[in-house]
Amino acid sequence: MQTIKKLESEEMNSDNQFIMIVQKVKNNMVEQWNRVVNSYKESWQRNFQLFQKVDGISLWKINFQLNRLAVKGISKEVLEKGKIILSLPSKQMSGATSDFQKAYIERTIDELEGFENLRLSQFYNYKPVYVEKKGFAEVSRWIEIEITEL
């Protein structure tokens, strides 16, 4: 009788071990799946951000120009001037942009992938500055990227 109970308890232990192993494998697979889903979400959000506009400025175009600068490199003349100028579409409103909006535009451009590529390919410090000039019926604007040595 005791041998039967002993055998039953050993079977229960082996069944419990098997169940525990299956649960661990299941948990690992769920964790891996969640990581994959989160990485796709982050990638999608990053790409979605590129197609947005901030105050009428297409982030995709700015990112494209910055990536092109990173690949082609910066000429000696531009380095001597100490700044890169990226033109932006004019605004038809007569009012200037608020300081808060300017800071938001500068921060958003600074966070673009193209800006990071520029930093990695050309070893300088870069700081974007949003500039506006009020004209007769429109506001012309551009981004000046200040270049300094590391």
Side-chain angles (χ1 to χ4, degrees), residues 38-85:
N38 288 336
S39 69
Y40 278 118
K41 281 182 183 178
E42 290 172 5
S43 174
W44 184 82
Q45 287 173 346
R46 239 179 304 145
N47 290 337
F48 180 72
Q49 178 192 10
L50 279 179
F51 294 104
Q52 290 181 336
K53 288 188 175 189
V54 176
D55 198 29
I57 302 168
S58 172
L59 294 179
W60 180 86
K61 287 182 182 177
I62 298 296
N63 193 53
F64 179 76
Q65 289 175 340
L66 291 170
N67 276 324
R68 195 167 59 192
L69 262 175
V71 170
K72 286 186 176 180
I74 301 172
S75 67
K76 298 276 185 194
E77 298 166 352
V78 172
L79 287 174
E80 289 172 4
K81 286 182 186 177
K83 61 181 152 183
I84 302 168
I85 297 174

Side-chain angles (χ1 to χ4, degrees), residues 27-42:
N27 290 340
N28 285 340
M29 290 176 66
V30 168
E31 287 176 20
Q32 288 176 350
W33 176 255
N34 287 337
R35 276 190 242 129
V36 167
V37 168
N38 288 336
S39 69
Y40 278 118
K41 281 182 183 178
E42 290 172 5

